[in-house]
Amino acid sequence: MQQVKAVVARTKGAPVEVTTINVPDPGPGEAVVAIQACGVCHTDLHYREGGINDEFPFLLGHEAAGIVEAVGPDVTGVAPGDFVVLNWRAVCGECRACKRGDVHLCFNTHNATQKMTLAEGDDAGTELSPALGIGAFAEKTLVAAGQCTKVDPSARPAAVGLLGCGVMAGIGAAINTGGATRGRSVAVIGCGGVGVAAVAGAALSGASPIIAVDIDPKKLEAAKKLGATHTVDSSQVDPVEAIRDIVSQTYEGAEGADIVVEAVGRPETWKRAFYARDLAGTVVLVGVPTPDMTSPEMPMIDFFSRGGALKSSWYGDCLPSRDFPMLVDLYQQGRLDLDAFVTEEIGIGDVEAAFERMHHGDVLRSVVVL
Ligand code: APR
Ligand code: ZN
Ligand code: ZN
C-alpha cells in the first residue's frame, strides 16, 4: 500500500479537492500505474454533480497515460516500465459477446478488485469509486491489468492519454460505428472534443466531404484544423438544408450525408441528424443524453421510408488493444493531430477551474500533467 495525492469529489455538487488516498499493492489481475497525464472530461463533472450515481466519494479522471509501476503475481500482458493508455473496456473473453467474437462489445468488462480509499479526514478509510473504473487524477492509480494498453513509449502522454475516452469515442463513432470510408460523406453535429474527434476520424478514413456543424464559430475553426472540408453555423442557417446542399455538390441528387454523427446528446440535434442523412444512411448517436430526455416525436413512416441505420456508439465501439496502438502510431506519423485536442496543460489542483472553463465551452481538453 502507498499514499498519493489525488482529486476526489467527496459529496454531491461540492467542489473537488486534492487529498491523499491509499493505493493498495496490485493483487491478481491488477496493476498500479504512475499517471503522467489525464484529460478533464464532461463525465468527470457529471460524477461530481451526482449525475452518474450516488456512490460518493469519487476518484475522478479517466483519460490517462502513464507508466506501469507494479503488476499482480499472475499478470503477463503488461510489465513494470511499460507506457500505457488506460481504457475502460478491459474485455473478459468469456461473456456471450466475447465468445461470439464481438470482443469490443464485451458485456462483462472488469476493473481492479481491490479498492483505493481516502487517507485523510474524518472519513479516512472510506472506499473510493474511481471514475469509469479508472480514477487517474492521481499520482498513481490501481486498475485491472487489462485496462492498460501498451503504446509507443515516445509519444506525448498529454496527447495520447485522450484516446482513453472522448477522442476515441469520436474517432470510433465515425469509423467503427458509422463505417466512414472513401466514397462516403460525413456530417458531424456538435464539435466539442468528441465531435472534432469524429471529424478527425472521418478525415483519417478518407471520407469526403466532411461537414462540421456547431453553433459556436470557435468550434468550427477547430473542426477545420482537424479535417472538416465544410463548416455550418447552425445558429445562422438550417443545418439539414446546408448539409444536403454541400453533399449534393459532390454527389448529385444526394439528400444528405451518408453518415451523420450526433455529438451533442440532445433530442433536437438527433432529429436534425436523422433528417440530414441520405437515403440508407447511418445516424450515430455518440453524444450522451440525460435520463430525462425522450426521443423526438416524428412520423414513423420516416424511419421506414428512408432505410439505413440508427446506431449509438459506446466508447466509439473501440477495442483498445487494436485501436489505441494504431492511433498512437498515426499520431506519431503526423497523420492524426492529437496535440490539437490539448488546449492547455494544468496541475492537479486546477481541475475545478477546468470544469468551469469546460462549462463555458472555452476548451477542447484541459489536461492534468503530473
Ligand atoms: N447544434 C449544434 N451544436 C451544438 C448545439 C446545437 N443545437 N448545442 C450545442 N452544440 C455544440 C456545442 O457548441 C459544443 O461545441 O455541441 C458541442 C458539445 O461539445 P462539448 O460540450 O465540448 O462536449 P464533448 O466533450 O464534445 O462531448 C459531447 O458526448 O461525452 C458526451 O457528455 C458529453 O454529451 C456530451 C457529448
Ligand atoms: Zn466479455
Ligand atoms: Zn471521458
Side-chain angles (χ1 to χ4, degrees):
M1 169 124 94
Q2 53 184 324
Q3 297 198 326
V4 302
K5 280 206 170 24
V7 177
V8 170
R10 264 195 157 88
T11 52
K12 185 168 174 165
V16 298
E17 46 187 288
V18 178
T19 186
T20 310
I21 63 166
N22 297 310
V23 180
D25 296 334
E30 293 176 337
V32 168
V33 179
I35 302 299
Q36 293 174 304
C38 181
V40 181
C41 173
H42 279 87
T43 304
D44 296 305
L45 181 56
H46 289 171
Y47 273 111
R48 99 112 153 80
E49 288 174 341
I52 309 260
N53 60 51
D54 285 329
E55 291 158 23
F56 287 91
F58 293 108
L59 171 57
L60 300 181
H62 59 274
E63 303 190 335
I67 306 279
V68 175
E69 182 187 74
V71 298
D74 59 340
V75 171
T76 53
V78 284
D82 285 346
F83 178 58
V84 296
V85 173
L86 298 183
N87 74 72
W88 43 271
R89 182 166 280 157
V91 299
C92 77
E94 282 163 11
C95 71
R96 200 160 56 83
C98 282
K99 278 194 171 145
R100 72 182 184 210
D102 294 325
V103 190
H104 65 290
L105 301 179
C106 176
F107 298 154
N108 193 24
T109 59
H110 51 286
N111 305 125
T113 312
Q114 299 181 87
K115 295 289 186 186
M116 293 178 274
T117 55
L118 286 171
E120 270 185 276
D122 300 342
D123 45 0
T126 307
E127 290 185 353
L128 289 158
S129 306
L132 294 172
I134 292 179
F137 292 145
E139 291 164 321
K140 292 174 189 176
T141 192
L142 176 76
V143 292
Q147 292 182 270
C148 301
T149 309
K150 270 165 75 166
V151 299
D152 180 346
S154 63
R156 178 186 172 201
V160 300
L162 299 182
L163 288 170
C165 180
V167 173
M168 184 68 247
I171 293 175
I175 301 180
N176 296 340
T177 315
T181 185
R182 290 184 302 279
R184 302 264 159 120
S185 52
V186 177
V188 178
I189 299 184
C191 291
V194 175
V196 289
V199 166
L204 270 179
S205 80
S208 183
I210 300 168
I211 305 157
V213 180
D214 206 292
I215 49 177
D216 178 350
K218 282 196 305 282
K219 302 299 173 76
L220 294 174
E221 280 312 304
K224 252 191 216 162
K225 278 200 203 117
L226 283 152
T229 59
H230 300 75
T231 58
V232 172
D233 181 343
S234 58
S235 69
Q236 304 296 322
V237 299
D238 175 5
V240 176
E241 266 175 44
I243 290 168
R244 189 184 304 138
D245 289 348
I246 293 163
V247 178
S248 60
Q249 285 162 26
T250 306
Y251 298 115
E252 210 188 321
E255 294 191 14
D258 293 306
I259 297 135
V260 185
V261 177
E262 201 279 9
V264 186
R266 301 192 56 83
E268 60 275 17
T269 37
W270 187 88
K271 188 172 178 181
R272 289 193 191 112
F274 179 88
Y275 285 110
R277 178 183 64 136
D278 200 2
L279 298 178
T282 302
V283 175
V284 178
L285 176 64
V286 66
V288 185
T290 54
D292 56 300
M293 292 175 182
T294 56
S295 61
E297 187 81 15
M298 303 159 55
M300 204 159 163
I301 187 70
D302 287 1
F303 290 91
F304 179 75
S305 59
R306 288 163 172 259
L310 310 177
K311 294 179 142 187
S312 55
S313 185
W314 260 63
Y315 207 177
D317 284 339
C318 78
L319 183 58
S321 59
R322 175 194 65 192
D323 296 341
F324 289 7
M326 170 189 67
L327 292 170
V328 170
D329 289 349
L330 291 171
Y331 165 61
Q332 294 291 74
Q333 294 160 14
R335 293 167 67 190
L336 171 63
D337 186 5
L338 293 176
D339 293 321
F341 291 89
V342 186
T343 311
E344 55 174 2
E345 293 191 358
I346 61 174
I348 197 168
D350 304 328
V351 171
E352 191 59 38
F355 282 154
E356 198 55 39
R357 278 193 295 280
M358 189 169 72
H359 205 66
H360 291 118
D362 295 340
V363 293
L364 283 182
R365 279 295 186 268
S366 304
V367 181
V368 172
V369 172
L370 291 134

